[in-house]
Amino acid sequence: MKINLINLPSEETSILPPLDLAYIGALLKDHELKLVDFNFDDKVEEADLNIVGTTGVDYYNNPPLNLDHIFSYLDMIKGRKIIFGPHVTSTPEIFKKYGLLVIGEPEITIR
């Protein structure tokens, strides 16, 4: 199965590598994986599944951030989506229209 692992853009001044997506990628090693980091590129190739992490967005330092920014990126991603991260866990009702949601730790669900 062809799977995109997608990191949404960070609002931080320093951009950290998406380790959460790397952990998930390690669990999916039998599939064709592509990491798409919207901090550097916003081109998403067609895939069977898109796994999207909101963890790079600065939720802890700025909880009332502009969710419309996140939603605009989710709208750009075509096809099936699984979305995870602190935003999804704390407010699943506003994310449910964008795809399947993982509440809590995604590594446990993916395994």
Side-chain angles (χ1 to χ4, degrees), residues 16-33:
L16 301 174
L19 294 180
D20 50 352
L21 291 173
Y23 294 142
I24 292 170
L27 295 170
L28 299 171
K29 62 185 174 196
D30 294 332
H31 299 277
E32 182 183 340
L33 304 175

Side-chain angles (χ1 to χ4, degrees), residues 43-82:
K43 293 181 181 81
V44 180
E45 293 180 12
E46 189 174 328
D48 300 313
L49 180 64
N50 297 289
I51 299 177
V52 184
T54 67
T55 52
V57 182
D58 186 11
Y59 180 77
Y60 297 105
N61 293 326
N62 187 10
L65 54 80
N66 182 358
L67 288 176
D68 289 337
H69 183 69
I70 294 173
F71 298 148
S72 68
Y73 281 96
L74 291 175
D75 282 333
M76 285 176 48
I77 303 165
K78 303 302 178 206
R80 295 183 351 182
K81 292 184 275 275
I82 295 177

Side-chain angles (χ1 to χ4, degrees), residues 80-95:
R80 295 183 351 182
K81 292 184 275 275
I82 295 177
I83 309 163
F84 71 92
H87 303 83
V88 174
T89 298
S90 63
T91 54
E93 63 279 358
I94 63 175
F95 282 89

